[in-house]
Amino acid sequence: METVTAESPGRSGPAAFRTRLLARRPLAASAFELSLAKPAGFTFTPGQRVRVHHAEAARDYSIAAAPGEEIIRLCLRRVATGGLSARLAEIPLGAELVFTGPHGYFTFQASARPAVFAATGTGVAPFCAMAAAGVSGFILLHGVAAQEELFYGDLLREKAAAYVPCLSGGRAAAAGHYRGRVTDYLRAQLPAGAYDFYLCGRQEMIRDATLLADERFPGSLVFSEVFY
Amino acid sequence: MKIYTGSGDRGKTSLFSGERVAKDHERIEAYGDLDELNSVIGALAASLPHPAEGVRPELEAAQAVLFEIGAWLATSPGSAAAGLLPPVDPQAAAALERSIDRMDAALPSLGGFILPGGSPAGSWAHLARTVCRRVERRVVRLAAAQAATPGDESMQRSIVYLNRLSDYLFVLARHLNRIQGSAERLWKR
């Protein structure tokens, strides 16, 4: 593992690193996880992203591991064809990859207000990094279509004050699961008050949750990271 | 990739520090004007004549500093998010001073107020200067309201930088007009 450029974070932009794909495992039919070797000198704050460059394509992925871990875990949505995520689902183990980073400011900022982490699908990745790094006591809403997509549930359940899987799919929700979207929960279930909302995932969820924060939870802070 | 989220469709937006504020909030006005300044500098860079190509890196460096100042403007003083921001580098203003001195050494001394205008690039530089002064006024107002709070030092450095950038843009306008053979027109009563 080596640094490709000597650039340091700052005006010249985040540094570039070479790494190798160590492992790939399915998380659900709709998502998979990549484990990359952590290059020497690479540091990040939980919630930040890396920009993976491969075959003349580049895409940002949130890191799902804590900074103290030896590997960088990325959580990717599986797409049928085209795009970098589809290629990364197929490249052989041991393949070299280049990434730049860390990018972004979607990081946890402790406050006196309760933190609500709201994610759709693979948008749960930055919250995994935060939880793995020791952040706890948050309310976590994970919006998915089916129960099998509730990946990283053990880690999140252990660290959360309340772990609320929000199932929007057709089947009846199991005990302890909320039947409906994340935004349905915010509209109908979350008690009134001021919160620090951390929103990560689909644009529609972030839009609706932000507007709900304005309407139902005045005095709240809203931090968001859109996954496209 | 979509660039819209729709979360601002009802007239509010989020500060970097997370607060939801109206889009005419004083911080939004300030970094909106800063964005305008950055765009006018971009137009200036696009209009540079070939003999002035050496100025382009200076303009791009200024645009980068303006992004850093913009982050401070978008952040409530004392917030946890302020701790994520790099401090505004005082060397940025010093670099502008060196450029001002370099260009000024080749310019005729000023004999009065000059009419803003001249060559296209010189005119853009004058326009950028006036927008820069407006941003400076906005930032002075914000800094007065947050004096002696965390982040105040970067606000003070931002004021210094904007003051110097405005001077730089004035001298740059004269420099560009000179190298393009556009005579300065003095204000006559």
Side-chain angles (χ1 to χ4, degrees), chain A residues 11 105 107 109-110 203-204 206-207 210-211 214-215 220-223 226 228, chain B residues 1-2 4-7 10 12 14 16-20 68 80-81 84 89:
Chain A
R11 286 203 187 104
Y105 295 94
T107 57
Q109 299 158 35
Q203 172 257 331
E204 293 83 358
I206 288 175
R207 176 197 61 206
T210 301
L211 295 175
D214 290 344
E215 292 169 9
S220 294
L221 302 189
V222 178
F223 305 95
V226 181
Y228 293 98
Chain B
M1 185 172 91
K2 294 177 182 175
Y4 55 87
T5 66
S7 57
R10 296 181 193 168
K12 282 191 167 186
S14 296
F16 180 66
S17 40
E19 298 92 339
R20 296 286 292 168
E68 293 178 5
L84 302 173
D89 184 357

Side-chain angles (χ1 to χ4, degrees), chain B residues 54-125:
Chain B
V55 169
R56 187 180 303 279
E58 295 177 355
L59 295 177
E60 290 180 353
Q63 288 183 300
V65 174
L66 293 180
F67 271 109
E68 293 178 5
I69 292 174
W72 281 101
L73 299 183
T75 304
S76 290
S79 64
L84 302 173
L85 300 178
V88 174
D89 184 357
Q91 290 306 313
L96 287 177
E97 289 171 2
R98 289 192 292 274
S99 299
I100 291 170
D101 293 343
R102 187 195 71 241
M103 291 187 289
D104 199 40
L107 291 170
S109 37
L110 270 175
F113 289 111
I114 55 172
L115 300 184
S119 66
S123 300
W124 278 115

Side-chain angles (χ1 to χ4, degrees), chain B residues 151-171:
Chain B
D152 184 46
E153 187 179 23
S154 277
M155 291 294 278
Q156 296 303 325
R157 288 179 181 177
S158 297
I159 292 170
V160 171
Y161 183 80
L162 291 165
N163 188 27
R164 211 65 80 250
L165 180 60
S166 182
D167 293 337
Y168 167 84
L169 291 165
F170 176 73
V171 175

Side-chain angles (χ1 to χ4, degrees), chain B residues 11-33:
Chain B
K12 282 191 167 186
T13 191
S14 296
L15 294 177
F16 180 66
S17 40
E19 298 92 339
R20 296 286 292 168
V21 297
K23 287 188 175 180
D24 62 355
H25 186 277
E26 59 185 356
R27 291 196 172 276
I28 312 304
E29 295 276 14
Y31 73 67
D33 283 352

Side-chain angles (χ1 to χ4, degrees), chain A residues 32-114:
Chain A
F32 61 99
E33 179 191 86
L34 298 182
S35 295
L36 309 179
K38 189 157 84 175
F42 176 68
T43 59
F44 67 97
T45 302
Q48 289 190 295
R49 298 172 266 116
V50 292
R51 184 165 301 145
V52 177
H53 301 256
H54 181 68
E56 299 183 354
R59 191 172 172 87
D60 284 16
Y61 300 104
S62 292
I63 302 169
E69 297 182 46
E70 291 299 311
I71 58 164
I72 299 169
R73 279 199 305 274
L74 305 179
C75 174
L76 283 70
R77 188 166 60 92
R78 195 178 292 281
V79 292
T81 56
L84 184 54
S85 298
R87 288 182 215 164
L88 293 175
E90 302 294 335
I91 63 169
L93 298 185
E96 184 178 277
L97 294 168
V98 173
F99 70 82
T100 60
H103 296 279
Y105 295 94
F106 189 67
T107 57
F108 180 71
Q109 299 158 35
S111 85
R113 290 172 297 276

